[in-house]
Amino acid sequence: MANVEKSFQSFRTLIVVASITFPILIIFYLTHQNSIFDIFQGIQNNTTNICDSVASAKNNTFEDEKNDEKLFGGLLVSSFNESSCVSRFRSYLYRKASPFKPSEYLIYKLRNYENLHRNCGPYTKSYNETMKDGANFSKSGVDSKCKYLVWTAIEGLGNRMISLVSTFLYAIFTDRVLLVRFDNDMMDLFCEPFPDSSWLLPKNSTYWNDLRQFKTWESMFVNNKGNDPLTALFLDLMNNNVRVTNRFHCDQNQVLLQNIPILILRSNEYFAPSLYLTYSFRQDFNKMFPDKDTTFHLLGRYLFHPSNVVWEHIQNVYEAHLAKENERIGLQIRIYNTRQTPEETIINETISCLQQNMLLPKFNMQNSSSPPLEKNTSKVVLVVSLYSKYGERLKSIYESNTSLSREVIKVYQPSHEEHQNSGDNMHNIKAWSEIYLLGLCDALVTSPTSTFGYVAHSLGGMKPLVLQSISGKSIPKVPCQRLKYMEPCFHDPPNYDCMANATVDFTSIFHNIRRCEDQSRGMKIINT
Ligand SMILES: *[C@@H]1O[C@H](CO)[C@@H](O)[C@H](O)[C@H]1NC(C)=O
Ligand SMILES: *[C@@H]1O[C@H](CO)[C@@H](O)[C@H](O)[C@H]1NC(C)=O
Ligand SMILES: *[C@@H]1O[C@H](CO)[C@@H](O)[C@H](O)[C@H]1NC(C)=O
Ligand SMILES: *[C@@H]1O[C@H](CO)[C@@H](O)[C@H](O)[C@H]1NC(C)=O
Ligand SMILES: *[C@@H]1O[C@H](CO)[C@@H](O)[C@H](O)[C@H]1NC(C)=O
Ligand SMILES: *[C@@H]1O[C@H](CO)[C@@H](O)[C@H](O)[C@H]1NC(C)=O
Ligand SMILES: *[C@@H]1O[C@H](CO)[C@@H](O)[C@H](O)[C@H]1NC(C)=O
Ligand SMILES: *[C@@H]1O[C@H](CO)[C@@H](O)[C@H](O)[C@H]1NC(C)=O
Ligand SMILES: *[C@@H]1O[C@H](CO)[C@@H](O)[C@H](O)[C@H]1NC(C)=O
Ligand SMILES: *[C@@H]1O[C@H](CO)[C@@H](O)[C@H](O)[C@H]1NC(C)=O
Ligand SMILES: *[C@@H]1O[C@H](CO)[C@@H](O)[C@H](O)[C@H]1NC(C)=O
Ligand SMILES: *[C@@H]1O[C@H](CO)[C@@H](O)[C@H](O)[C@H]1NC(C)=O
């Protein structure tokens, strides 16, 4: 108890020093009385304690205010080498300040995670012991100090980024160290997210081997009943709502997984809502994200910093085509079925959406040939699509018509103006730049169910207009609708009630679980 009192002393000292944090700390103290002692344990250990996190995040001087914006209210740490990751220090000059602030508890969890990663990352003593080929574990399973979660890639960049964020959140909840299997096509996209360590799984690790050689959790649950001590397990969360994958969120399964030192996880989904469904994680989830709608936004901005190569590309496009315009409108067109939806229908739906929502002015049908206004009146539409025809068509429409407001409307699609060197990762570098650029726009129109669009709007902190899916030629009366929630959609959520051993509709049990606006099968966690 003496230690606790000492902790409380430092708590009080801090109040005097950092008077601006006073109300925050008091509110925090009042709302977290039960857990306050857990948190102050951090002071005795080598972990960052929550008061330090808060104090370093808030300081009253101008310089510190700028710093606060740079470091996103304490979400990020300043200890990185600037020249190795320029975007980490300069993105605040391009992005509007996010209105969404990380909670003190999230900051505390991230600092603790960083310490764990520092102590257990590649080539540390614990890594060498646990991750070496044929490591021998005693029957009780984990005697090893560090446990690992190896993320493995599947499908496009949008899917990879939503699954990575979910996997990182799972790593935090389970005190595992996240290591990523980045092949050549993922190298050079992102900076290292964790200080003084690396998140890349070393290329010569056994866990780069073919996934089929690892035990799957089907074999563990169905055949072994979890009795066999295992070193590593392949946790395949593809097709989340079938087979045992449908039971990932059951606490009894999490208890079994807990004892396995190395999990190799594969998913193409934003499965963070599954972690909310897991009873044993829910309290932490609620404390880390009092505003559930910011889960991806905050974790994404924590993890994903464009590498210097990508950043240069983003900066060049931004300076050349977006910076000088009065307003920037991001438009992402993803068509799954190009044969059934004629180009003209898609263009008309898009224009109709932009005009109905006052993002762009209506055309002047009179052809009064009045000259466009010159100063301070241009808008740019940044078109992102696999196909250059949409950008080209929009461009020609806006070049050959005048608008009622006489504003100049420019259309720019990066992909067809660029001549890129071919290379393994060029496609992903371009995709990542465009995701990021969309997030720098003032308004956003995206396509339904696109994970690429989800990442763009969530990172940007925006609720986009989402085009209605169309098939055939008719354009819906309401061509697009604004998303109510910022989180990506979990397309194939589980539907298994672990207690009742029965199928269930979670939206009828939890008042803060909703179906996605763009896919009724999907699920989102919302605020209540
Ligand atoms: C801090 O150390 C104490 C023992 O000194 C331990 O019981 C506690 O779990 C540790 N807390 C954290 C957050 O590591
Ligand atoms: C705590 O961490 C610092 C650096 O982060 C290290 O120098 C120090 O030895 C650590 N102390 C303990 C008791 O682990
Ligand atoms: C707050 O700002 C003052 C003056 O610039 C500085 O001395 C102090 O170290 C800062 N405190 C924190 C916690 O950053
Ligand atoms: C920062 O990184 C650059 C290049 O990666 C390196 O040349 C430089 O020495 C580093 N600086 C520090 C202080 O580590
Ligand atoms: C872990 O292994 C690597 C390579 O075998 C070695 O360079 C490193 O020093 C080892 N780390 C420790 C803490 O022994
Ligand atoms: C693993 O450890 C057990 C006892 O802890 C021992 O009996 C067994 O021989 C070891 N296996 C290997 C391959 O070292
Ligand atoms: C992996 O590479 C590191 C550094 O190149 C080396 O020290 C280590 O021995 C290698 N480990 C294995 C298992 O080959
Ligand atoms: C698209 O819009 C143009 C101009 O308003 C119109 O002439 C054309 O019929 C429309 N096409 C479709 C398929 O709706
Ligand atoms: C508008 O008028 C000009 C000449 O005054 C003509 O060249 C142009 O084709 C007309 N545009 C449309 C859309 O009718
Ligand atoms: C440019 O337009 C914006 C509104 O669209 C206005 O707030 C601003 O004052 C204008 N700037 C100049 C230099 O006219
Ligand atoms: C605008 O220009 C295009 C030619 O590029 C023409 O086909 C179209 O009908 C014009 N008017 C509208 C309202 O789109
Ligand atoms: C769950 O229900 C299925 C049939 O719906 C049954 O076969 C199975 O034994 C049940 N499991 C448990 C643990 O009750």
Side-chain angles (χ1 to χ4, degrees), residues 240-242 246-247 249 277 492-498 502-506 523:
N240 210 70
N241 58 356
V242 295
N246 197 10
R247 303 180 183 194
H249 63 285
L277 293 175
D492 287 302
N495 61 356
Y496 178 72
D497 183 334
C498 308
T503 302
V504 72
D505 173 6
F506 284 113
M523 166 197 288

Side-chain angles (χ1 to χ4, degrees), residues 394-524:
L394 275 176
K395 196 176 163 84
S396 83
I397 289 176
Y398 278 95
E399 274 173 355
S400 49
N401 294 283
T402 54
S403 65
L404 273 177
S405 66
R406 294 160 68 213
E407 286 167 295
V408 177
I409 312 299
K410 296 176 186 169
V411 178
Y412 173 66
Q413 180 168 358
S415 51
H416 71 109
E417 282 193 9
E418 260 152 44
H419 306 283
Q420 288 163 340
N421 304 320
S422 58
D424 259 340
N425 57 353
M426 217 47 217
H427 176 75
N428 279 338
I429 286 180
K430 206 186 78 151
W432 174 213
S433 308
E434 292 182 359
I435 286 177
Y436 198 97
L437 284 162
L438 285 174
L440 298 180
C441 290
D442 304 298
L444 202 52
V445 177
T446 60
S447 296
T449 74
S450 161
T451 56
F452 190 102
Y454 293 163
V455 176
H457 84 243
S458 280
L459 276 184
M462 285 183 274
K463 292 173 184 156
L465 290 161
V466 178
L467 297 166
Q468 298 275 15
S469 347
I470 38 178
S471 62
K473 288 194 171 174
S474 63
I475 297 169
K477 266 217 184 67
V478 181
C480 57
Q481 275 183 309
R482 191 169 298 284
L483 281 193
K484 285 203 215 69
Y485 312 108
M486 207 166 62
E487 280 283 277
C489 175
F490 183 10
H491 286 159
D492 287 302
N495 61 356
Y496 178 72
D497 183 334
C498 308
M499 301 289 265
N501 185 28
T503 302
V504 72
D505 173 6
F506 284 113
T507 60
S508 69
I509 296 184
F510 291 91
H511 51 293
N512 60 339
I513 294 184
R514 290 291 149 83
R515 298 190 183 291
C516 302
E517 297 107 312
D518 62 339
Q519 196 191 57
S520 59
R521 190 172 81 239
M523 166 197 288
K524 281 186 185 188

Side-chain angles (χ1 to χ4, degrees), residues 344-345 348 475:
E344 190 177 74
T345 312
N348 281 15
I475 297 169

Side-chain angles (χ1 to χ4, degrees), residues 10 24 35 63 141 146 216 232 339 343 354 440 487 526:
S10 11
I24 297 163
S35 58
E63 191 56 28
C146 306
T216 63
R339 232 178 274 151
E343 180 191 332
L354 290 165
L440 298 180
E487 280 283 277
I526 63 152

Side-chain angles (χ1 to χ4, degrees), residues 235-480:
L235 189 56
D236 191 1
L237 297 184
M238 297 287 286
N239 304 318
N240 210 70
N241 58 356
V242 295
R243 305 182 325 241
V244 295
T245 318
N246 197 10
R247 303 180 183 194
F248 172 67
H249 63 285
C250 298
D251 282 288
Q252 59 269 39
N253 290 344
Q254 288 303 330
V255 168
L256 296 178
L257 292 172
Q258 211 179 334
N259 293 321
I260 302 169
I262 299 156
L263 296 180
I264 305 160
L265 190 150
R266 180 172 78 175
S267 166
N268 56 345
E269 291 255 26
Y270 186 62
F271 65 87
S274 266
L275 305 174
Y276 184 82
L277 293 175
T278 310
Y279 181 75
S280 52
F281 302 148
R282 197 174 307 142
Q283 196 189 2
D284 248 8
F285 202 132
N286 281 326
K287 278 169 73 184
M288 284 164 70
F289 300 100
D291 181 354
K292 304 283 174 306
D293 208 25
T294 61
T295 306
F296 186 93
H297 177 70
L298 294 172
L299 290 179
R301 285 200 173 193
Y302 175 81
L303 278 184
F304 301 129
H305 300 275
S307 68
N308 287 352
V309 176
V310 176
W311 184 244
E312 200 182 319
H313 191 72
I314 290 169
Q315 251 184 319
N316 289 345
V317 171
Y318 191 87
E319 300 296 349
H321 300 280
L322 306 179
K324 293 181 206 77
E325 309 304 331
N326 232 16
E327 205 180 318
R328 291 155 281 274
I329 298 158
L331 170 62
Q332 183 237 356
I333 303 185
R334 172 82 164 95
I335 307 298
Y336 295 92
N337 197 336
T338 43
R339 232 178 274 151
Q340 273 178 30
T341 30
E343 180 191 332
E344 190 177 74
T345 312
I346 290 158
I347 293 289
N348 281 15
E349 183 193 37
T350 305
I351 291 176
S352 162
C353 169
L354 290 165
Q355 292 182 346
Q356 277 188 22
N357 290 280
M358 320 284 194
L359 291 177
L360 290 183
K362 290 207 153 55
F363 292 116
N364 183 355
M365 308 304 268
Q366 263 29 79
N367 195 11
S368 53
S369 68
S370 44
L373 298 175
E374 276 181 6
K375 293 244 157 68
N376 192 20
T377 56
S378 69
K379 293 186 175 182
V380 63
V381 183
L382 172 73
V383 182
V384 169
S385 175
L386 289 175
Y387 309 102
S388 60
K389 59 183 180 184
Y390 299 113
E392 281 160 10
R393 182 77 192 118
L394 275 176
K395 196 176 163 84
S396 83
I397 289 176
Y398 278 95
E399 274 173 355
S400 49
N401 294 283
T402 54
S403 65
L404 273 177
S405 66
R406 294 160 68 213
E407 286 167 295
V408 177
I409 312 299
K410 296 176 186 169
V411 178
Y412 173 66
Q413 180 168 358
S415 51
H416 71 109
E417 282 193 9
E418 260 152 44
H419 306 283
Q420 288 163 340
N421 304 320
S422 58
D424 259 340
N425 57 353
M426 217 47 217
H427 176 75
N428 279 338
I429 286 180
K430 206 186 78 151
W432 174 213
S433 308
E434 292 182 359
I435 286 177
Y436 198 97
L437 284 162
L438 285 174
L440 298 180
C441 290
D442 304 298
L444 202 52
V445 177
T446 60
S447 296
T449 74
S450 161
T451 56
F452 190 102
Y454 293 163
V455 176
H457 84 243
S458 280
L459 276 184
M462 285 183 274
K463 292 173 184 156
L465 290 161
V466 178
L467 297 166
Q468 298 275 15
S469 347
I470 38 178
S471 62
K473 288 194 171 174
S474 63
I475 297 169
K477 266 217 184 67
V478 181
C480 57

